[in-house]
Amino acid sequence: MKLKVYADRLSQPSRAIIIFCKINGIDFEEVSVDLVKGEHKLPEYKDINPMAQVPAIVDERLKLSESHAILRYIAETSPGVADHWYPADPSSRAKVNSILDWHHSNLRLGSVTFVMNTVLAPIFGRTLNPQASTEAEKLLSSSFSNIEFMWLSGDANFLLGNPHPSIADLSLVCEIMQSELWHDKDRERILEPHPKILQWVENVKKATNPYFQDVHTALYKAKEMLKAKQSKSP
Amino acid sequence: MKLKVYADRLSQPSRAIIIFCKINGIDFEEVSVDLVKGEHKLPEYKDINPMAQVPAIVDERLKLSESHAILRYIAETSPGVADHWYPADPSSRAKVNSILDWHHSNLRLGSVTFVMNTVLAPIFGRTLNPQASTEAEKLLSSSFSNIEFMWLSGDANFLLGNPHPSIADLSLVCEIMQSELWHDKDRERILEPHPKILQWVENVKKATNPYFQDVHTALYKAKEMLKAKQSKSP
């Protein structure tokens, strides 16, 4: 059975998995689950992932959710995935795991909360919450500073000073790409004071192109649609 | 160099690591980092973990933070750790990883936010936030329901229907133990409608005693102190 990846390319962890599969030449089928249309809540998708979230995968052995668990699993079980993605050496692997674990309550929490409460809430029938976005901005700024200080010191191209990206680079950079949806002034204030982050994003793009740009096309289109909508609103 | 574990036993992920080391007969030194006294913010601790959080470990190979990364690393590198803790089989390992990853934005986020905003905030010089605790309660309740539905179906003693606990059982149950600090009425309303969760907590205790109870003594003492304080306040 060919690996099936259930994904919405507007979801940052979905994109990380699709890019990872493509760059590693993994034979997989992408199954689109449209979050805006609510397809993740349909019974047929809940049979794949009862948590009603993307991404998820199915192969001959298991159904699996949570993008970091999926990236680890594909890296460990697919032939031909280069070691730098998820190193076999226990110390290097532990460092990759540490960054992936740190991500959830820091960069990811900040990013998801910020974009929801500055841009996306109305699309999902919710109200923008300025207090939540202010707190999320603090978490985002401290996350960017921590990434620069902890893992991008010196002239490292990738996290942990490695010459090639790991699944942690890919996961975190796909999250940061969600900033494409932010208002320009927010991007200037929060992201642009972090040149090392911006350079690292470019490094990950370069190391994973043409797949990175291809998979992000959906995000760039969504950005254009949002901008058009915003320019029409009073 | 003997493994050093930097921990505060009032921190739930710290407890998970100490119990794991003890039950697996790992030769380690516990170094206390008192969060209430702010010892995690001292320069000598930031040299261990610049993120200023517990737990962290140091051995001859690396300094490492993030409790799940630490549990995975110790399980993989220490001789004599039984396979059920972090199975070598890729599918079983992936399922453990999936639960560990899920934990961050669900049970852990709900638990940390709830106890901070119903009990602990004043101790850390902050204000209790009822809106935050209401949202955290929703997340806690849905997390308990998801654990029961997803991973404790049938008459499973442990997550995924396994006959022995994994590092995911230990991490999640140590988090749930933080409910010892909740007000009784909150515990009755949120936790007690979940008999499978309560039974699973007992199973993990039984499988890891006497270490589980020993390591939780600090929590029980904190509970008594909080109750004494609450009964004196107007």
Side-chain angles (χ1 to χ4, degrees):
Chain A
M1 180 187 171
K2 192 194 272 194
L3 174 69
K4 284 191 182 180
V5 176
Y6 294 81
D8 181 331
R9 290 187 180 199
L10 292 180
S11 128
Q12 48 278 50
S14 291
R15 292 196 300 270
I17 290 169
I18 297 167
I19 295 165
F20 183 76
C21 288
K22 284 180 179 268
I23 194 131
N24 285 293
I26 289 160
D27 187 25
F28 76 106
E29 178 192 345
E30 181 181 345
V31 184
S32 170
V33 181
D34 189 318
L35 295 177
V36 174
K37 286 185 188 159
E39 288 177 358
H40 56 304
K41 292 177 185 167
L42 296 176
E44 51 266 40
Y45 184 66
K46 283 193 174 173
D47 185 45
I48 302 298
N49 181 9
M51 300 286 193
Q53 291 176 326
V54 290
I57 62 165
V58 178
D59 72 2
E60 72 274 13
R61 284 182 288 203
L62 81 173
K63 295 176 184 174
L64 189 64
S65 60
E66 289 295 328
S67 71
H68 293 173
I70 292 170
L71 287 167
R72 290 182 184 103
Y73 174 76
I74 300 178
E76 283 189 298
T77 57
S78 302
V81 174
D83 184 72
H84 63 81
W85 286 109
Y86 192 46
D89 167 67
S91 301
S92 304
R93 175 163 292 199
K95 288 175 188 169
V96 171
N97 282 334
S98 180
I99 297 173
L100 288 171
D101 291 343
W102 171 87
H103 178 55
H104 295 279
S105 306
N106 293 281
L107 180 60
R108 170 118 185 113
L109 181 60
S111 165
V112 167
T113 311
F114 189 79
V115 79
M116 181 56 73
N117 288 293
T118 56
V119 178
L120 296 181
I123 296 171
F124 292 96
R126 300 185 205 167
T127 315
L128 299 173
N129 179 339
Q131 196 196 336
S133 73
T134 302
E135 281 169 27
E137 178 171 341
K138 281 185 211 160
L139 188 54
L140 275 171
S141 293
S142 71
S143 296
F144 290 146
S145 297
N146 275 327
I147 292 170
E148 290 185 324
F149 176 73
M150 294 279 297
W151 302 307
L152 292 174
S153 56
D155 50 2
N157 281 336
F158 299 103
L159 298 171
L160 305 170
N162 288 339
H164 300 289
S166 70
I167 53 176
D169 290 278
L170 190 54
S171 171
L172 272 61
V173 165
C174 283
E175 187 69 56
I176 293 170
M177 287 302 292
Q178 218 67 356
S179 64
E180 291 285 328
L181 303 182
W182 299 358
H183 299 294
D184 289 342
K185 64 177 179 7
D186 292 339
R187 202 180 147 84
E188 281 161 29
R189 188 180 66 254
I190 304 169
L191 185 55
E192 292 185 5
H194 296 279
K196 278 192 172 183
I197 298 282
L198 296 172
Q199 182 57 54
W200 167 56
V201 169
E202 289 309 309
N203 297 342
V204 172
K205 279 184 190 175
K206 208 172 153 187
T208 56
N209 266 338
Y211 309 110
F212 193 98
Q213 288 297 10
D214 172 47
V215 172
H216 279 82
T217 305
L219 186 71
Y220 302 136
K221 280 189 188 161
K223 177 187 182 168
E224 292 311 315
M225 279 174 58
L226 280 168
K227 289 223 163 182
K229 212 170 177 181
Q230 283 155 7
S231 69
K232 276 184 204 159
S233 68
Chain B
M1 180 186 171
K2 193 193 270 194
L3 174 71
K4 284 190 182 182
V5 176
Y6 294 80
D8 181 332
R9 291 188 178 197
L10 292 181
S11 128
Q12 48 280 49
S14 291
R15 292 195 301 270
I17 290 169
I18 297 167
I19 294 166
F20 183 75
C21 287
K22 284 181 179 267
I23 194 135
N24 285 293
I26 290 161
D27 187 25
F28 76 107
E29 178 191 345
E30 181 181 345
V31 184
S32 169
V33 181
D34 190 316
L35 295 176
V36 174
K37 286 185 188 158
E39 289 178 357
H40 55 303
K41 293 178 185 166
L42 296 176
E44 52 265 41
Y45 185 65
K46 282 192 174 174
D47 185 45
I48 303 298
N49 181 9
M51 301 285 192
Q53 290 176 325
V54 290
I57 62 165
V58 178
D59 72 2
E60 71 273 14
R61 285 181 288 201
L62 82 172
K63 294 175 185 175
L64 189 65
S65 59
E66 289 295 330
S67 70
H68 293 173
I70 293 170
L71 287 167
R72 290 183 184 104
Y73 174 75
I74 300 177
E76 284 190 296
T77 58
S78 303
V81 174
D83 185 72
H84 61 81
W85 286 108
Y86 191 47
D89 167 67
S91 301
S92 304
R93 175 163 292 200
K95 288 175 188 168
V96 171
N97 282 333
S98 180
I99 298 172
L100 288 172
D101 291 342
W102 171 87
H103 178 54
H104 294 279
S105 305
N106 293 281
L107 180 60
R108 170 117 185 114
L109 180 59
S111 166
V112 166
T113 312
F114 188 78
V115 79
M116 181 57 73
N117 288 291
T118 56
V119 177
L120 296 182
I123 296 171
F124 292 96
R126 300 184 205 168
T127 316
L128 299 173
N129 178 338
Q131 196 195 336
S133 73
T134 302
E135 280 169 27
E137 178 171 340
K138 280 185 211 162
L139 188 53
L140 274 171
S141 293
S142 71
S143 296
F144 290 145
S145 297
N146 274 327
I147 292 170
E148 290 185 323
F149 176 72
M150 295 279 297
W151 301 307
L152 292 174
S153 55
D155 50 2
N157 282 336
F158 300 103
L159 297 171
L160 306 170
N162 288 340
H164 301 288
S166 71
I167 54 175
D169 290 277
L170 190 53
S171 172
L172 272 62
V173 164
C174 283
E175 187 69 56
I176 293 171
M177 287 302 292
Q178 218 68 355
S179 65
E180 291 286 327
L181 303 181
W182 299 358
H183 299 294
D184 289 341
K185 64 178 180 3
D186 292 339
R187 203 180 146 84
E188 281 161 27
R189 187 179 68 255
I190 304 169
L191 185 56
E192 292 186 5
H194 296 279
K196 278 192 172 184
I197 298 282
L198 296 172
Q199 181 58 54
W200 168 54
V201 169
E202 289 308 309
N203 296 342
V204 172
K205 280 185 190 174
K206 208 172 153 186
T208 55
N209 268 337
Y211 309 109
F212 193 99
Q213 288 297 10
D214 172 47
V215 172
H216 279 81
T217 304
L219 185 72
Y220 302 137
K221 279 188 188 163
K223 176 187 183 169
E224 292 311 314
M225 279 174 58
L226 280 168
K227 290 223 163 180
K229 213 169 176 179
Q230 283 155 6
S231 70
K232 275 184 204 159
S233 68

